[in-house]
Amino acid sequence: MFTKVDFWVGLAVGVVAGAVGYKVYSENKGNFNNLLQYTPQVETGDVSVVELMKQKERLEDLIAEKQAAVNA
């Protein structure tokens, strides 16, 4: 196993990829951490019932179109 060239080439490629990945991560650590901890905040207090009903109807129409396309 250790005498095959493919093993050593794969090991070298893996080490280089790991080193490059670690360097990119360490340079952008804050960005990566913010991306991983992102939780979208949904503010339902600002949306009116009328707007929610319009969105509901639109989604129902889209669902119906998709189901019709699948059944066709």
Side-chain angles (χ1 to χ4, degrees), residues 1 7 9 11-12 16 19-21 23-24 26 28 30 34-35 38 41 45-46 51 65 67 71:
M1 177 174 139
F7 170 78
V9 170
L11 181 66
V16 169
V20 169
K23 184 175 187 285
V24 169
S26 62
N28 300 305
N34 288 340
L35 181 65
Y38 175 73
Q41 300 295 324
D46 294 342
E51 181 64 29
E65 288 176 10
Q67 287 176 341
N71 293 333

Side-chain angles (χ1 to χ4, degrees), residues 49-66:
V49 174
V50 174
E51 181 64 29
L52 289 173
M53 292 301 289
K54 287 179 185 177
Q55 290 179 8
K56 178 184 171 191
E57 290 173 7
R58 184 177 148 267
L59 288 173
E60 288 173 344
D61 291 342
L62 289 172
I63 292 169
E65 288 176 10
K66 290 286 185 178

